[in-house]
Amino acid sequence: MACRTSILFALLLSAMSAVAQGKWAAVNEAEYDSLGRVTRTFRATRLVNLHTTELMPKGSLDFRIAHRFGAFRTKLNNLYGLDGPATIQFRLDYSITDRLTVGIGRSSYKKMGDVFIKYKWFHQKQTGMPVSVALLASTNVIMDSDPTANITGLDRYAVLSNRLVYFFHGMVSRKFGPRFSAQLSPMLVHYNLVEKLNDKNDILAIGYGARYKALDWLSVTAEYVQRTFRYSPDFRNYHNVLSLGVDLETSGHVFQVFVTNGYMINEAVVIPFTDGTWSDGNMMLGFNISRTFDVLKK
Amino acid sequence: MKRIFKIVAALVLGGTFLSACYYDHWEAIHPTSGLVDVCPDSVSATYAAAIRFVTAQNCVSCHNSSRQDGNIVLETYDQVKSLAATTKFLNSIQRVDGSKPMPPGVGLKACEITKIQTWITNGMPN
């Protein structure tokens, strides 16, 4: 497994360096803004669970709802998961500038709150810069109470710092033409407090994302989260996250529908602790919807 | 203006990195953690000595009085006992085909299930 992973990683890296050497054809004329920057590498600021290099124009307030139904393996009796149990995330993102977005969110799993800051470092350009780069850091708070406290008399969440989880996400993307874009992301999750002596506080992962614009209003998307090293004795019981979906565009909105085994939504838990796989039927239907308001518009 | 935002961004990013970043292990802070490994034969198969530790670690995060997943609460002896009297309890923890496997994801250890079975056979003593 480790071997396959490193080959994939090497392939992607060499693809990127080839890109950097300008071996790829320039992207279609119509896909640039007035500054020669590539636009619409992805259709939204999220692909499925992960962020993309897209940011909103200055002064946009984005209200988002992310929803994951129950697993397909619960069969027809449970309407293949549509009856639940579901997980949900509500959030508000605001773009202070074209390059800087901040956001707050709340996810039902572990009752997690989060704040993030996202910065667009580089834009892919018509000439010159071959890729777009964005960085994100978030602080996540587990707001659930300690489930074993009433039995052990020890509350692990008595101190706030034990509830905190940090997430760092680098995004490198490239639009390869009018239809195809891809993204590679190194990611780090840091838990202030873990359970067992052998558990690691830092969890390193790589995210792969891709979008294929099939029609003007429909793109096919794929996202994969690859965990890189054994951060827990339970490593094998947790799984990489695969998501396949579509971005549907309806009058200026993007509606994302997909199938994923990552039901926890928040990156700080979905990356290390996804416990179901596609092969055992633990994938579910999910969607992201968002409504953006232009708060600076007079 | 632009510069100010860059500085703010750098401060917030750097701030989250440096402040309040710990490398703690609960097991190291509380070696016994107050929780018991129920598997050894020396641990008798009673609710007080064994079963409550299994449910506390594996079930109560979802089946507590505020969340009540599946309308089930497993916080007290009576609650666990009345659920354990139904067939779906053992089916779920044994992950029998067609049941709802509990806990979802990583299941109980075989020796924990054995201990629960012994407890049920013995009439679920407190």
Side-chain angles (χ1 to χ4, degrees), chain B residues 70-124:
Chain B
N71 287 322
I72 294 169
V73 182
L74 294 173
E75 287 177 334
T76 66
Y77 170 67
D78 289 331
Q79 289 161 348
V80 177
K81 187 179 171 184
S82 60
L83 184 70
T86 67
T87 49
K88 58 184 181 182
F89 177 79
L90 265 184
N91 286 348
S92 289
I93 60 175
Q94 291 179 318
R95 313 179 104 63
V96 172
D97 237 21
S99 71
K100 295 178 177 162
M102 289 290 148
V106 183
L108 295 180
K109 288 188 223 144
C111 57
E112 290 171 336
I113 297 173
T114 314
K115 193 69 91 181
I116 291 173
Q117 279 173 315
T118 315
W119 176 63
I120 294 174
T121 320
N122 292 350
M124 303 188 258

Side-chain angles (χ1 to χ4, degrees), chain B residues 4-19:
Chain B
I4 294 175
F5 285 131
K6 276 189 186 167
I7 293 166
V8 170
L11 280 178
V12 175
L13 276 171
T16 39
F17 232 141
L18 298 175
S19 74

Side-chain angles (χ1 to χ4, degrees), chain A residues 221-237:
Chain A
T221 56
E223 187 183 276
Y224 189 65
V225 175
Q226 167 91 57
R227 301 158 310 139
T228 59
F229 69 93
R230 201 167 174 276
Y231 50 85
S232 157
D234 274 334
F235 185 77
R236 277 167 183 285
N237 292 324

Side-chain angles (χ1 to χ4, degrees), chain A:
Chain A
M1 195 64 208
C3 180
R4 230 190 303 160
T5 311
S6 46
I7 291 171
L8 197 58
F9 198 13
L11 272 177
L12 268 154
L13 283 179
S14 49
M16 289 205 148
S17 56
V19 163
Q21 286 154 25
K23 282 182 193 160
W24 297 85
V27 179
N28 183 346
E29 286 301 320
E31 308 283 329
Y32 300 101
D33 67 9
S34 55
L35 295 172
R37 298 184 303 198
V38 168
T39 57
R40 296 190 170 198
T41 305
F42 294 98
R43 273 310 282 125
T45 56
R46 308 297 198 289
L47 196 54
V48 175
N49 289 308
L50 301 181
H51 276 264
T52 65
T53 52
E54 293 297 320
L55 274 82
M56 299 178 291
K58 177 178 178 175
S60 310
L61 183 69
D62 194 24
F63 175 61
R64 306 187 66 90
I65 299 175
H67 189 100
R68 312 287 182 263
F69 291 99
F72 285 175
R73 79 180 293 283
T74 58
K75 310 247 172 80
L76 186 59
N77 177 14
N78 193 39
L79 210 59
Y80 292 91
L82 297 190
D83 285 353
T87 45
I88 191 160
Q89 180 186 67
F90 297 102
R91 56 179 322 116
L92 268 180
D93 296 353
Y94 178 70
S95 50
I96 300 169
T97 74
D98 290 351
R99 282 170 174 265
L100 188 69
T101 297
V102 293
I104 55 171
R106 153 82 186 207
S107 316
S108 59
Y109 187 80
K110 285 192 187 254
K111 306 199 181 305
M112 236 175 181
D114 70 86
V115 290
F116 78 77
I117 176 162
K118 180 177 175 186
Y119 181 69
K120 179 118 175 186
W121 197 4
F122 293 114
H123 259 110
Q124 182 183 347
K125 293 246 177 69
Q126 189 168 19
T127 49
M129 196 61 203
V131 291
S132 290
V133 180
L135 303 172
L136 176 138
S138 73
T139 302
N140 305 272
V141 191
I142 300 166
M143 300 206 236
D144 228 346
S145 52
D146 185 340
T148 62
N150 63 349
I151 289 206
T152 61
L154 299 168
D155 184 355
R156 76 197 64 208
Y157 295 143
V159 273
L160 174 67
S161 65
N162 284 354
R163 296 175 177 270
L164 297 185
V165 188
Y166 300 109
F167 174 60
F168 302 96
H169 186 183
M171 291 146 262
V172 182
S173 74
R174 161 132 180 127
K175 190 166 184 172
F176 290 90
R179 292 191 182 278
F180 183 70
S181 310
Q183 175 171 299
L184 181 67
S185 349
M187 301 181 285
L188 175 72
V189 179
H190 174 87
Y191 273 77
N192 270 355
L193 178 73
V194 290
E195 286 303 306
K196 306 269 166 57
L197 287 174
N198 293 331
D199 288 340
K200 303 272 187 293
N201 296 76
D202 287 329
I203 296 136
L204 207 64
I206 304 169
Y208 309 94
R211 166 196 179 210
Y212 181 78
K213 186 175 146 192
L215 299 168
D216 274 347
W217 53 274
L218 182 135
S219 300
V220 181
T221 56
E223 187 183 276
Y224 189 65
V225 175
Q226 167 91 57
R227 301 158 310 139
T228 59
F229 69 93
R230 201 167 174 276
Y231 50 85
S232 157
D234 274 334
F235 185 77
R236 277 167 183 285
N237 292 324
Y238 300 121
H239 302 283
N240 295 338
V241 185
L242 173 68
S243 317
L244 300 174
V246 288
D247 283 4
L248 299 168
E249 263 176 74
T250 52
S251 61
H253 295 278
V254 183
F255 180 51
Q256 302 177 309
V257 198
F258 38 79
V259 177
T260 178
N261 58 326
Y263 62 90
M264 301 166 182
I265 307 177
N266 184 309
E267 298 98 323
V269 277
V270 84
I271 294 170
F273 298 129
T274 290
D275 51 18
T277 62
W278 282 59
S279 50
D280 62 21
N282 276 314
M283 69 294 208
M284 61 279 302
L285 201 67
F287 62 80
N288 297 339
I289 50 176
S290 92
R291 177 81 178 88
T292 310
F293 304 91
D294 186 352
V295 292
L296 293 186
K297 200 159 73 188
K298 308 269 147 35

Side-chain angles (χ1 to χ4, degrees), chain B residues 16-113:
Chain B
T16 39
F17 232 141
L18 298 175
S19 74
C21 204
Y22 297 93
Y23 282 83
D24 289 337
H25 296 77
W26 189 242
E27 211 176 64
I29 302 171
H30 296 287
T32 60
S33 295
L35 292 171
V36 169
D37 176 10
V38 303
C39 289
D41 286 340
S42 57
V43 178
S44 57
T46 64
Y47 181 76
I51 309 307
R52 67 190 176 111
F53 296 108
V54 180
T55 51
Q57 284 183 91
N58 299 287
C59 319
V60 174
S61 57
C62 303
H63 297 296
N64 57 49
S65 43
S66 62
R67 193 164 150 170
Q68 302 190 9
D69 273 5
N71 287 322
I72 294 169
V73 182
L74 294 173
E75 287 177 334
T76 66
Y77 170 67
D78 289 331
Q79 289 161 348
V80 177
K81 187 179 171 184
S82 60
L83 184 70
T86 67
T87 49
K88 58 184 181 182
F89 177 79
L90 265 184
N91 286 348
S92 289
I93 60 175
Q94 291 179 318
R95 313 179 104 63
V96 172
D97 237 21
S99 71
K100 295 178 177 162
M102 289 290 148
V106 183
L108 295 180
K109 288 188 223 144
C111 57
E112 290 171 336
I113 297 173

